[in-house]
Amino acid sequence: HEKTRPPIIVDDAMLTASLTDSALMARGKEVFSSTCSSCHGSAAQGGIGPNLTDDFWLYGQKPLQIHTTISKGTPKGMPPWDAVLQPEELVALVVYISSTRGSNPEGAKEPQGDRYDPPGSEKEVEQEKTSGEDDSNEDGKQPSPSEESGEPT
């Protein structure tokens, strides 16, 4: 007789903690190749489906949002995979897809959706700067409070 495994509790914390798991990433790549690449391309560069390697997302870029998109599908034609894939495979896909971001594969499809820059990224810091502010902080240091407020130093 088969042992019943306890259900996987999928939440932001669990998925975020899984993002560095190399075994899950490898499994996710396998599942992606056999299940997702026909629509998203072999390098997640996009095809019928959107490019998954850039900074633009149609249904959300956070791990739990990616999981929901894969599990439940989308109104634009992606089928729900929760009845086809095992819970571990869904988590592995989230890990793999998250790892492809910024890989800039050849032949990548044009951006679709809303731009997302991960917390702490150079792009996010750049977006936080007010227009007309001196870009002298190229070393990655945060502006001082007086620089942020625009007060002279």
Side-chain angles (χ1 to χ4, degrees), residues 42-143:
S42 61
Q45 76 275 15
I48 295 169
N51 177 352
L52 302 175
T53 68
D54 62 16
D55 294 335
F56 295 84
W57 293 82
L58 292 168
Y59 300 101
Q61 78 298 333
K62 293 180 182 175
L64 190 57
Q65 293 169 319
I66 295 170
H67 187 275
T68 300
T69 300
I70 297 167
S71 299
K72 305 301 179 197
T74 70
K76 291 197 175 199
M78 183 170 146
W81 290 97
D82 59 352
V84 178
L85 299 173
Q86 296 296 314
E88 296 86 359
E89 292 174 315
L90 294 169
V91 171
L93 277 173
V94 172
V95 171
Y96 175 70
I97 290 167
S98 296
S99 79
T100 66
R101 188 166 181 277
S103 60
N104 302 316
E106 199 170 307
K109 191 173 180 179
E110 72 283 348
Q112 295 173 279
D114 296 323
R115 183 180 185 99
Y116 165 73
D117 293 308
S121 71
E122 288 181 28
K123 290 178 183 175
E124 183 195 49
V125 171
E126 188 65 33
Q127 288 172 347
E128 289 176 358
K129 289 183 178 182
T130 57
S131 61
E133 191 171 319
D134 183 6
D135 286 346
S136 60
N137 285 343
E138 291 181 16
D139 61 355
K141 291 182 181 175
Q142 294 292 323

Side-chain angles (χ1 to χ4, degrees), residues 15-38:
L15 289 170
T16 300
S18 299
L19 293 178
T20 57
D21 185 318
S22 58
L24 276 174
M25 192 173 305
R27 180 65 183 133
K29 185 174 184 176
E30 291 171 7
V31 175
F32 187 91
S33 293
S34 64
T35 308
C36 311
S37 63
S38 60

